Amino acid sequence: MPKYVYKCIDCSQHFEVIHGILEDHTTCGFCPSTKLMRVPQMPHLARQETQKGGKVGDEVKRAIEENRAILKEERRKRVELPDGD
Ligand SMILES: [Zn+2]
């Protein structure tokens, strides 16, 4: 099963959880919080996060969403191209 890194929003602890792709971990192992954020497994981002002390997760999420929007837009353009006459 894949290994995920979570960050607790309440106590700021990072911890690894092993669970299935379709499952989701929702409880902090260090405090009773259920406000967890999955941390993307990218080494250079993980290093940034230790330096700045957080917030990188949100930026990554935004970047992924922007990327997805661009892809969607490009696909849409391609579909709307006139297929000749
Ligand atoms: Zn916690």
Side-chain angles (χ1 to χ4, degrees), residues 7-15 27-36:
K7 183 185 178 182
C8 175
I9 292 173
D10 282 341
C11 72
S12 301
Q13 284 283 353
H14 285 79
F15 53 94
T27 314
C28 176
F30 296 88
C31 77
S33 176
T34 52
K35 285 182 233 158
L36 301 185

Side-chain angles (χ1 to χ4, degrees), residues 34-74:
T34 52
K35 285 182 233 158
L36 301 185
M37 192 175 79
R38 198 184 283 178
V39 181
Q41 291 299 281
M42 286 176 256
H44 66 287
L45 289 175
R47 215 182 306 136
Q48 266 184 21
E49 186 163 70
T50 29
Q51 282 167 3
K52 289 187 194 167
K55 278 280 171 200
V56 171
D58 288 339
E59 277 163 40
V60 168
K61 218 190 282 172
R62 205 181 311 134
I64 290 169
E65 269 163 8
E66 271 171 27
N67 227 356
R68 201 180 291 153
I70 290 165
L71 278 175
K72 214 165 138 190
E73 183 69 18
E74 264 175 52

Side-chain angles (χ1 to χ4, degrees), residues 72-84:
K72 214 165 138 190
E73 183 69 18
E74 264 175 52
R75 206 173 298 148
R76 203 167 57 98
K77 270 186 212 157
R78 213 166 297 152
V79 170
E80 282 175 0
L81 279 176
D83 46 8

